[in-house]
């Protein structure tokens, strides 16, 4: 079945540095969602992208869906310690109801 | 309460015992999902309901696992004859049937440890 890979698997940054995680698929995706999971917590929905080339912003977070709808990225500007956690991309194969998660990128922010 | 509630938060059981978990979704959400997550991995889909109908089950879900949503509100997930490999976080989520634009709302999960 369809799968997505995320890179990098881990990222350590100094507070104030930028961070980007990438989500890549070998096949076209009808949609992509992003979730954040704090250490010891549960996934929290951030956003959904459905259109080719779509870019959405939430404060310091910028989400992008590739033109070919095979990749997506999440960029955080000027990271803060509150950004610590694992960021997952996820998609619904064929636009159906089952959400399939990527491998995740664990972000650590050091003061 | 506006969130998804799961009970219990933690469960330690001996191998071979049966366990049951409960999930109370957001009341307006007609879709309910069960996921399993192990350390360092993303959540893995187990099954989902639309109202009381179980519409899809993962091949990961062996015949020792059963889920119900009898009245289209709360759901239970039962694992019979638990094995050590069943140790994981079991997450419940709910959503509206509107194409997923609002995403899934997850509960805090039930952490199962089989000893």
């Amino acid at each position: 079945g369809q799968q997505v890979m995320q890179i990098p698997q881990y990222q350590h940054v100094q507070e104030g540095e930028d961070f980007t995680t990438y989500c890549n698929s070998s096949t076209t995706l009808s949609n992509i969602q992003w979730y954040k999971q704090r250490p010891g917590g549960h996934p929290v929905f951030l956003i959904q992208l459905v259109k080719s080339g779509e870019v959405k912003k939430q404060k310091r977070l910028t989400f992008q869906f590739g033109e070919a709808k095979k990749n997506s990225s999440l960029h955080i500007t000027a990271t803060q310690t509150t950004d610590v956690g694992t960021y997952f991309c996820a998609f619904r194969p064929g636009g159906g109801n089952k959400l399939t998660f990527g491998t995740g990128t664990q972000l650590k922010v050091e003061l | 309460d506006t969130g998804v509630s799961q009970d219990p938060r933690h469960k330690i059981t001996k191998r071979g015992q049966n366990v049951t978990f409960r999930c109370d979704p957001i009341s307006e959400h007609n879709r309910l999902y069960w996921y399993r997550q192990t350390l360092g991995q993303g959540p893995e889909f187990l099954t989902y309901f639309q109202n009381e109908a179980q519409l899809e089950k993962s091949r990961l879900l062996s015949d020792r696992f059963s889920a119900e949503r009898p009245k289209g509100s709360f759901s239970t997930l039962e694992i019979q004859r638990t094995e050590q490999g069943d140790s994981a976080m079991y997450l419940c989520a709910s959503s509206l049937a509107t194409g997923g634009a609002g995403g899934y709302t997850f509960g805090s999960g039930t952490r199962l440890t089989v000893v």
Side-chain angles (χ1 to χ4, degrees), chain A residues 53-89:
Chain A
E54 190 170 13
V55 178
K56 289 188 177 180
K57 292 189 177 185
Q58 291 178 350
K59 298 183 180 178
R60 294 178 296 104
L61 277 60
T62 302
F63 305 85
Q64 188 164 7
F65 203 5
E67 293 289 343
K69 300 182 75 174
K70 289 185 177 181
N71 54 71
S72 180
S73 64
L74 159 57
H75 179 83
I76 302 178
T77 303
T79 54
Q80 300 175 358
T81 54
T82 53
D83 296 324
V84 165
T86 301
Y87 293 84
F88 291 100
C89 63

Side-chain angles (χ1 to χ4, degrees), chain A residues 3-11 19-26 29 32-37 43 46 63 70-75 85-91 100-107, chain B residues 37 40-43:
Chain A
Q3 289 184 323
V4 289
M5 294 297 295
Q6 281 185 254
I7 53 172
Q9 189 175 1
Y10 302 99
Q11 184 80 60
F19 160 76
T20 304
T21 173
Y22 300 90
C23 183
N24 299 308
S25 171
S26 58
L29 303 171
I32 196 91
Q33 297 185 1
W34 285 93
Y35 289 78
K36 176 184 178 180
Q37 186 171 20
L46 296 176
F63 305 85
K70 289 185 177 181
N71 54 71
S72 180
S73 64
L74 159 57
H75 179 83
T86 301
Y87 293 84
F88 291 100
C89 63
F91 68 100
T100 299
F101 283 79
T103 48
T105 295
Q106 185 179 349
L107 173 64
Chain B
Q37 186 176 29
Q41 302 296 316

